[in-house]
Amino acid sequence: SEWCDFLEKAEVEGATWLGSLLSVGDGKTKVKLVREEKEGGSYAADKEVHNTNMDAVTAANKVAGESASGSAKDFISCFILLTGRDDTATRMRLNMWSRCDPNGSGNVSLAELDSWVRDHLYDILGVQRGGELWALFRPSYICAFNDAKNIAETKFVRSTGDTTSDDYVTQQEFRILLSYLCIYALMFDAFTIIDGGGIGNKAISDRKFTLEEWKVGYANVASHGFIALQNIPEDKMEEVFSKIDMNNGDAVLLSEWCDFLENAEVVGCTRMGSLLSSGDLK
């Protein structure tokens, strides 16, 4: 036992692949960098460590309410611990950023974000499940990206003509982007439940929902964790629908849905609202 304890301690302290497996279940944060490869400064994430991480699952369940789908909770659990300000989360983000920005430009495009999200989900959940979630929540990435890229001070990007940093996400904005990936994935999850009965149900989903779909689907998203969806009485359903349908098109689009939920969080001065309104770069 002494021999095993000695070897185990060295592996854990050395942050080796074997150490990451041995540390699972010790009560510490388990989603972490498994190995920093000396060549190229890249990283390797161990999917078993992520898959058994109850900290991430618990955190995801706190963000996503009871009515959120299992897919939404799985997706959020892959990113939520990267949004913290603690040393572990900061170290993880530095390594994740280097992979998201492979050319070292200091700026990440939407295409680079899309590729990184896919690869990150592959690392954690495997190609099949990771690929499924990447495809399911892909429409929400652009919402997260567009909100995050305008937070930091605007700067011109060299060798790109008139392009500025507002066309990209910078490293300063990366933590907020990760938070937005979780928030907008949850918004999209609620939207798809109303529009066609659930995420991935492409046969009856048309990327918008009508008043009738809103009346039928509301109860299935009331506990998603958004203040705007709490305790809407039946006699107010049409009034609320009109508020969401800003262009009076008799159908709610994803952009209108996200704006409606975001505005309520901001007005309600919630933690989510403070992130969505100012970014909170600290």
Side-chain angles (χ1 to χ4, degrees):
S1 61
E2 292 174 320
W3 174 247
C4 293
D5 289 344
F6 166 73
L7 295 178
E8 178 178 343
K9 183 179 180 182
E11 296 293 330
V12 172
E13 291 178 349
T16 66
W17 175 83
L18 183 58
S20 68
L21 289 176
L22 290 168
S23 66
V24 172
D26 62 3
K28 300 176 182 177
T29 301
K30 303 173 190 69
V31 171
K32 60 184 180 181
L33 183 68
V34 174
R35 182 174 70 249
E36 292 181 5
E37 298 175 345
K38 295 181 179 179
E39 300 176 359
S42 59
Y43 78 99
D46 184 87
K47 64 180 181 180
E48 294 301 325
V49 177
H50 288 81
N51 286 341
T52 56
N53 179 18
M54 294 310 296
D55 291 336
V57 173
T58 300
N61 285 335
K62 287 182 178 180
V63 172
E66 293 180 2
S67 58
S69 70
S71 291
K73 292 176 181 179
D74 285 349
F75 180 89
I76 292 170
S77 71
C78 294
F79 298 95
I80 190 66
L81 293 187
L82 297 172
T83 66
R85 293 186 175 89
D86 57 278
D87 291 343
T88 300
T90 300
R91 181 169 62 89
M92 281 287 291
R93 275 197 307 277
L94 285 173
N95 284 278
M96 296 295 178
W97 173 258
S98 67
R99 191 175 187 187
C100 197
D101 178 30
N103 59 11
S105 67
N107 301 291
V108 165
S109 66
L110 178 60
E112 288 174 320
L113 171 67
D114 184 50
S115 295
W116 173 74
V117 169
R118 179 198 61 205
D119 293 345
H120 183 62
L121 291 170
Y122 284 176
D123 285 341
I124 297 173
L125 301 174
V127 173
Q128 182 173 346
R129 180 57 172 164
E132 179 183 65
L133 292 184
W134 169 69
L136 285 176
F137 289 97
R138 207 174 181 193
S140 68
Y141 307 159
I142 190 170
C143 300
F145 180 86
N146 285 338
D147 255 16
K149 69 184 177 67
N150 296 318
I151 293 172
E153 180 183 357
T154 301
K155 298 179 181 179
F156 282 98
V157 178
R158 292 181 180 179
S159 304
T160 56
D162 295 330
T163 302
T164 70
S165 57
D166 278 353
D167 297 295
Y168 302 92
V169 167
T170 64
Q171 186 170 358
Q172 187 182 11
E173 296 164 327
F174 191 49
R175 187 184 69 82
I176 304 303
L177 173 62
L178 293 166
S179 298
Y180 286 0
L181 282 175
C182 298
I183 293 171
Y184 281 103
L186 191 60
M187 290 181 178
F188 181 65
D189 184 62
F191 180 84
T192 56
I193 288 174
I194 298 172
D195 169 35
I199 194 162
N201 202 344
K202 296 181 180 179
I204 53 178
S205 173
D206 55 5
R207 296 291 175 86
K208 59 186 177 182
F209 63 79
T210 63
L211 174 60
E212 291 308 311
E213 287 177 312
W214 165 242
K215 289 180 176 179
V216 172
Y218 163 68
N220 297 321
V221 301
S223 299
H224 252 63
F226 294 109
I227 193 170
L229 301 179
Q230 296 175 2
N231 304 316
I232 300 176
E234 187 174 350
D235 61 353
K236 296 290 184 180
M237 294 294 290
E238 292 190 25
E239 179 182 335
V240 172
F241 181 85
S242 296
K243 290 180 179 179
I244 308 173
D245 181 24
M246 294 298 293
N247 68 358
N248 298 316
D250 295 325
V252 170
L253 305 176
L254 177 60
S255 59
E256 292 175 316
W257 176 248
C258 291
D259 287 345
F260 167 70
L261 296 180
E262 177 178 339
N263 289 338
E265 297 295 328
V266 172
V267 172
C269 297
T270 66
R271 171 58 180 156
M272 191 184 298
S274 69
L275 279 171
L276 290 167
S277 63
S278 66
D280 192 8
L281 287 173
K282 298 179 181 179

